[in-house]
Amino acid sequence: MSGRAQSRPNAMQKTFDLNNIVRVSVLKLQPYSSARDEYVSDGSEMIFLDANENPFDNGVNRYPDPYQRSLKSLLAEQKGVSENQILLGNGSDEVLDLIYRAFCEPNQDNIITLPPTYGMYKVLSGINAVENREVLLTIDFEPYVEEILKVADANSKLLFICSPNNPTGNAFKKEKIEQLLNSFNGLVVIDEAYIDFSKDESWLSQLKNYQNLIVTQTLSKAYGLAGIRLGICYASEEIIGVLNKIKPPYNVNQLTQKRALERVMNQDLVNQEVQQILNERDELIKALNGLEFIEEIYPTDANFVLAKVDDANKRYQQLLDKQVVVRNRSTQPLCGNTLRFTVGTPDENKKLIAILKALN
Ligand SMILES: *Cc1c(COP(=O)(O)O)cnc(C)c1O
């Protein structure tokens, strides 16, 4: 007999059937077969006359690899998953949109989000005509587990957990997420856009224990590649198989694949930059602590700091007058009078701190 901690995920696996979650139209779908699907190069010299491309070489005259095999093979090795557990997209935004389109029946299913959180989940639910059920975080910015399970019903296909959370900055408690993974009957999407800045471990290692888990990451934050648009989805091979059926054939362009590969190979440089950003974050928090108009600095596991101020509109405008753009998050629930500061370079940080100290 296995222990208690083990038995719940296993029970979950027994009752979880992805076929009950996938849209019927997607289940039945025969995906588009591209030229690069039908003939996969093994690297030998071939004459390619199958895709109506311009034959004159300029570096990008050929269609890119639709399954981004080189990049996936590197990510698989680094993250300890199989290549068939990875889907890449044109930013996390495309990845998230594919998840809605694969699993949520318009005007019938619903998803659950936990505001204050990343705004795209709500926008995507609008685009896809899927009801967005909102359950506010508790006042200490943790998921309100009982309430989430109460609003969930048989049509609740997705639960979005952003951890570390944007805009609050904190990573959620492991027990809270575990409870949700064990009890929610749809898919649990953990958005780890900021995981590289967190002291907490990624949920990737738990993919083998939870058939209902999807983890998304991105090269837009710690990896410094927001401009190339590369989002990553990790899940069971079964879930990735469904998403592969509906993704546009050439959704990640060749220039993006190339730049991403170079950067992911250069992990040391990424780690160095992350460490520098974390040092600067500490400096910023120290400086904010000493300011009269700062009322609260929230704990952060990300590359930004959320702070409550005396008058967010006034402070936002004052910073703008000094050519500094921060994000006013005051309209978000539980975030009245808050500003979100992204951590910049040491030089930018020094300037910001000097400007903040001179405000009155
Ligand atoms: C910035 C961010 C992303 C990144 O989206 P991309 O489309 O990959 O640039 C995803 N999720 C959250 C919560 C973010 O803050």
Side-chain angles (χ1 to χ4, degrees):
M1 291 296 283
S2 59
R4 246 191 101 195
Q6 285 257 309
S7 65
R8 289 179 75 196
N10 289 345
M12 177 77 229
Q13 281 179 15
K14 268 185 218 120
T15 55
F16 184 80
D17 184 354
L18 191 65
N19 290 333
N20 295 334
I21 298 188
V22 183
R23 289 170 66 193
V24 176
S25 56
V26 173
L27 266 183
K28 288 188 197 151
L29 185 78
Q30 190 65 38
Y32 172 76
S33 179
S34 70
R36 288 293 164 273
D37 279 326
E38 284 176 19
Y39 178 82
V40 178
S41 169
D42 64 0
S44 43
E45 281 293 312
M46 306 297 285
I47 298 174
F48 286 105
L49 305 174
D50 57 347
N52 300 344
E53 298 149 332
N54 177 326
F56 300 107
D57 187 13
N58 61 19
V60 287
N61 58 312
R62 298 292 178 186
Y63 279 102
D65 176 0
Y67 294 108
Q68 311 96 17
R69 290 169 182 83
S70 318
L71 184 51
K72 279 186 191 168
S73 138
L74 185 59
L75 287 169
E77 186 192 314
Q78 285 191 1
K79 303 288 182 178
V81 299
S82 112
E83 291 168 39
N84 298 330
Q85 289 183 280
I86 307 177
L87 174 111
L88 302 178
N90 184 17
S92 306
D93 295 340
E94 182 185 36
V95 166
L96 296 171
D97 187 52
L98 288 171
I99 294 170
Y100 277 84
R101 289 161 60 197
F103 303 110
C104 299
E105 204 60 62
N107 302 310
Q108 176 181 314
D109 289 334
N110 66 77
I111 58 118
I112 299 175
T113 60
L114 315 178
T117 194
Y118 186 46
M120 271 314 278
Y121 313 137
K122 188 179 198 166
V123 172
L124 288 169
S125 69
I127 292 171
N128 289 291
V130 173
E131 182 195 348
N132 176 24
R133 297 191 176 173
E134 299 188 324
V135 180
L136 290 194
L137 296 177
T138 58
I139 44 164
D140 53 348
F141 297 151
E142 291 289 339
Y144 190 172
V145 175
E146 300 75 33
E147 194 61 25
I148 294 166
L149 296 175
K150 212 187 290 175
V151 310
D153 62 19
N155 291 112
S156 299
K157 293 295 187 69
L158 308 171
L159 167 62
F160 286 93
I161 297 179
C162 185
S163 183
N165 187 39
N166 180 5
T168 60
N170 61 308
F172 298 144
K173 289 205 183 83
K174 191 168 176 231
E175 308 84 67
K176 300 276 179 192
I177 296 180
E178 255 164 12
Q179 283 170 3
L180 291 166
L181 279 166
N182 284 318
S183 314
F184 181 69
N185 287 323
L187 297 168
V188 176
V189 182
I190 305 184
D191 183 339
E192 292 191 334
Y194 300 99
I195 192 65
D196 302 284
F197 302 106
S198 178
K199 55 195 177 319
D200 289 3
E201 208 193 315
S202 163
W203 284 86
L204 277 182
S205 61
Q206 294 303 309
L207 282 177
K208 54 183 174 302
N209 295 328
Y210 296 102
Q211 290 304 302
N212 60 336
L213 171 60
I214 295 179
V215 176
T216 64
Q217 296 184 356
T218 176
L219 298 193
S220 295
K221 306 286 157 61
Y223 283 79
L225 295 178
I228 70 169
R229 314 303 304 129
L230 199 284
I232 312 167
C233 175
Y234 299 97
S236 67
E237 294 192 7
E238 205 185 359
I239 291 175
I240 295 301
V242 172
L243 296 174
N244 270 329
K245 274 173 76 170
I246 66 165
K247 84 174 188 68
Y250 303 112
N251 62 329
V252 179
N253 74 69
Q254 191 176 331
L255 300 174
T256 293
Q257 292 189 41
K258 181 169 178 292
R259 286 297 293 267
L261 194 64
E262 290 165 5
R263 186 69 164 164
V264 174
M265 270 197 278
N266 202 344
Q267 197 63 44
D268 286 349
L269 185 60
V270 176
N271 294 344
Q272 258 175 47
E273 290 181 5
V274 166
Q275 195 49 54
Q276 241 189 325
I277 291 168
L278 292 180
N279 296 343
E280 289 302 315
R281 186 181 75 186
D282 290 347
E283 291 302 313
L284 176 62
I285 290 171
K286 259 189 251 165
L288 290 173
N289 252 315
L291 296 171
E292 211 181 332
F293 63 86
I294 302 281
E295 302 190 344
E296 188 161 4
I297 303 165
Y298 297 98
T300 178
D301 295 281
N303 64 333
F304 58 83
V305 180
L306 186 76
K308 191 182 269 300
V309 299
D310 56 350
D311 182 343
N313 292 338
K314 173 178 159 189
R315 301 306 176 185
Y316 175 83
Q317 192 56 48
Q318 283 180 322
L319 288 171
L320 214 50
D321 292 342
K322 299 283 180 194
Q323 280 80 48
V324 178
V325 191
V326 298
R327 196 86 198 266
N328 187 347
R329 294 282 70 189
S330 301
T331 58
Q332 301 299 300
L334 310 176
C335 292
N337 274 322
T338 56
L339 297 177
R340 192 190 67 194
F341 299 85
T342 305
V343 178
T345 63
D347 186 47
E348 290 170 339
N349 211 18
K350 213 177 330 163
K351 284 180 180 148
L352 168 67
I353 291 168
I355 291 167
L356 286 169
K357 283 182 173 162
L359 292 188
N360 49 41

